[in-house]
Amino acid sequence: MSSNAKWQDRWDAVMARNYGTPPLALVSGSGCRVQDADGREYLDLLAGIAVNALGHAHPAVVAAVSEQVGRIAHTSNLYVNERAVELAERLVRILGVDGTRVFLCNDGTTANEAAVKTVLRARPSRRRFVAAEHSFHGRSLGALALTGKEAARAPFGPFGIEVTHIPYGDADALAAAVDDQTAAVVLEPTLGEAGVVPPPDGYLQTARAICDANGALLVIDEIQSGIGRTGAWFAHQRDGIVPDVVTLAKGLGGGLPIGACLATGTTADALQKGDHGSTFGGNPVACAAALAVLDTIEKEHLLDHVVDLGSRWSQQLTNAGVGVRGRGLWLALLVADGLAPAIETAARDAGFLVNATGPDAVRLAPPLVLTEAEATSFADALPSILDAAAGAISVGGVNADANSGGTRP
Ligand SMILES: *Cc1c(COP(=O)(O)O)cnc(C)c1O
């Protein structure tokens, strides 16, 4: 029995059943390469779902985390921790909006919970939110209320906030849903979990204008799109808008768990003493990792790298015979309906980790340090991966690999 299979058995026996059994155990990594429990190597084109921004075991992250854990690992929020202040200052600088205030937390869902409470404090007489169908905002109850997946919400509602879900990218539907009772509109700059779906040009600007006309706040969920993923620090910066609230997590900690909720303008002062808190939020070790991530992105000019490599890669993948959407190092391959899970499996067999977000889309969200040679190696392998996937489907049926595709973080 392989080591991977042994780990799968142990997982099955003890882990909660909320995830399907993973196909592999990953035990180590370096740069964009990871190794499984049987010693097989893969090119990681998913980065732990857009998390390992600098790849695996990046020396800057290893050094920052090791230094900090050896100095002081936790202070609680009853005391200042230096790394949290430095990180908050840094986030405000890259957001580019003076007067912004930062709440640090542990992950994406807690960033969005903080956003919901910030909105409710800033618009105390309003309780209604507007969010997008097929959006993903997290799994805890406030964030889940916003998440635009009926199947994920239904068993757990009703929620403490009322949310209207509208088709993503449809400005008229948004305008029709927002009124003087709307506390906030919550949007991803591009849908991530739904398969890297960008909105039409101008959508975020229109959303900003609709919010302003109705006194509603605009919350932009940059948890997957932020920290360089699209080649800008924040995806919304390309649209020239200033959100009232921005949430961050995934790529921020370079693999360590951290989230952030940034509030701008008058919304910055909405949360008052006693309104919110987190024991671990802004933990010094996680903040040290995030500072190392931001430093490295700056020093190694990774934003430019993401733009350049992303557009070349997108072209190479298109040439290999698939549709491609997305920008920067955040792309989806658009494939025949039902084929995506088989492509995920065939890619893994060929030594590449990718992710079927649904039946017809395969997500690529590699480390931002992906090299040209690594990117090209996948584009070169893609035609034979597509053939293998098509072959597997004709032999085993569309659902031959029940563990692949459609799982959500
Ligand atoms: C992943 C994700 C979340 C939830 O983050 P968790 O850390 O899994 O709680 C929220 N919003 C978006 C856009 C995400 O991609």
Side-chain angles (χ1 to χ4, degrees), residues 176-190:
V178 178
D179 61 21
D180 64 3
Q181 291 307 302
T182 307
V185 172
V186 181
L187 292 172
E188 294 167 80
T190 280

Side-chain angles (χ1 to χ4, degrees), residues 112-113 116 119-120 126-137 140-150 153 157-167 174 177-178 181-187:
N112 282 335
E113 294 293 331
V116 167
V119 166
L120 294 175
R126 304 181 181 202
R127 274 290 177 281
R128 294 199 195 139
F129 288 72
V130 175
E133 291 168 4
H134 307 295
S135 64
F136 187 80
H137 298 293
S140 59
L141 294 179
L144 181 59
L146 296 168
T147 290
K149 245 194 121 196
E150 171 64 20
R153 282 196 316 271
F159 305 100
I161 54 171
E162 192 188 313
V163 184
T164 304
H165 290 95
I166 43 99
L174 185 60
V178 178
Q181 291 307 302
T182 307
V185 172
V186 181
L187 292 172

Side-chain angles (χ1 to χ4, degrees), residues 35-75:
Q35 280 198 332
D36 73 12
D38 291 311
R40 195 159 175 237
E41 195 172 272
Y42 304 84
L43 181 62
D44 182 3
L45 299 177
L46 188 59
I49 314 185
V51 166
N52 301 100
L54 303 184
H56 300 271
H58 192 284
V61 174
V62 173
V65 165
S66 308
E67 204 277 333
Q68 189 62 45
V69 78
R71 181 183 294 268
I72 188 165
H74 178 78
T75 61

